[in-house]
Amino acid sequence: MAEHRTMQRGALLDAARSLLSEGGTEALTFPALAERTGLARSSVYEYFRSRAAVVEELCAVDFPVWAAEVENAMARASTPAGRVEAYVRSQLDLVGDRRHRAVVAISASELDAGAREKIRAAHGGLVTMIVEALAELGHEQPRLAAMMLQGVVDAAVRRIELGAAEEPGVIAETAVAMALRGVGG
């Protein structure tokens, strides 16, 4: 029985990822989850008490996987500048990934304080990864610089998500150039 419940929970989370990546948080409704999974709507409530609970679980499951991919990319770089570049590129490479799109949709949505706090903590973990590299590059305020750098990454992610006029590769190159050389180009 427990295995069956785990499979259904996984199916619900997968359906939630699809709904979020297709239509943002407005698309994530219990009727839509029920329809996607073939479960009765009442069954969906047995697993999650609210949309926020679905979102919190997705963050708990997907964010660490996503962060590990960023961390692995950084670990392969041999210099602080290489780690900064890997930090930017690896996040932008994940833009097409449904987990990433779900996290982006979640980040942009109206959530309860608990869910927002979990997302902030997860983002904080991502930012913490880059602080050391920025300190090695000589930043006097590496934590602040890390937050600003994440702002550049977030802006690039949004630009790619929106299907902006520029190719994703051009957006990535521009973000990397800004991360490494500022607005000097």
Side-chain angles (χ1 to χ4, degrees), residues 74-97:
M74 288 172 63
R76 290 191 295 272
S78 55
T79 65
R83 286 198 294 283
V84 170
E85 181 171 350
Y87 178 82
V88 173
R89 279 191 199 283
S90 61
Q91 288 187 67
L92 298 181
D93 287 346
L94 290 167
V95 170
D97 186 309

Side-chain angles (χ1 to χ4, degrees), residues 86-133:
Y87 178 82
V88 173
R89 279 191 199 283
S90 61
Q91 288 187 67
L92 298 181
D93 287 346
L94 290 167
V95 170
D97 186 309
R98 272 186 331 146
R99 284 174 324 207
H100 180 278
R101 282 209 300 273
V103 170
V104 169
I106 288 165
S107 300
S109 72
E110 291 304 307
L111 298 170
D112 67 36
R116 271 203 312 277
E117 193 44 55
K118 282 198 169 74
I119 291 168
R120 252 200 304 281
H123 263 291
L126 209 51
V127 168
T128 300
M129 283 188 218
I130 199 64
V131 171
E132 192 181 320

Side-chain angles (χ1 to χ4, degrees), residues 127-156:
V127 168
T128 300
M129 283 188 218
I130 199 64
V131 171
E132 192 181 320
L134 293 170
E136 287 175 49
L137 285 172
H139 272 280
E140 288 176 22
Q141 298 283 335
R143 180 116 193 116
L144 178 60
M147 288 179 208
M148 299 293 178
L149 174 58
Q150 188 59 44
V152 168
V153 172
D154 292 343

